[in-house]
Amino acid sequence: MLSKPFMTTREIAELFKVSEATVRAWIHAGELRAIRFGREFRVAVKDLEAFVEAHATRSQNPDGDDR
């Protein structure tokens, strides 16, 4: 899905069209796992994918139907 192993809060905010403050709020609330490097956070691609999957409104049927 994504080509880089870690993403910044700015990159995630741009990807999801939200503010950086929203991304940081997800991190501080424990919803999005992140690593702190100095004053900045980095999020592993696999953790971002897990966050997206956990917040999906419904799972997709393996047959491709949205039942």
Side-chain angles (χ1 to χ4, degrees):
M1 177 177 151
L2 303 171
S3 61
K4 294 165 61 172
F6 288 95
M7 297 182 70
T8 65
T9 55
R10 176 173 285 174
E11 291 170 329
I12 295 168
E14 290 173 359
L15 180 65
F16 291 124
K17 306 292 189 243
V18 297
S19 70
E20 282 187 72
T22 297
V23 177
R24 286 190 301 273
W26 293 336
I27 292 168
H28 290 293
E31 296 180 52
L32 178 58
R33 187 170 181 248
I35 299 169
R36 183 173 226 147
F37 290 104
R39 296 182 57 161
E40 296 291 320
F41 287 105
R42 298 290 185 273
V43 177
V45 171
K46 65 180 183 156
D47 292 325
L48 183 58
E49 290 171 345
F51 172 81
V52 169
E53 184 64 30
H55 287 82
T57 56
R58 58 182 161 175
S59 61
Q60 185 179 26
N61 186 332
D63 297 330
D65 297 337
D66 288 337
R67 287 189 233 162

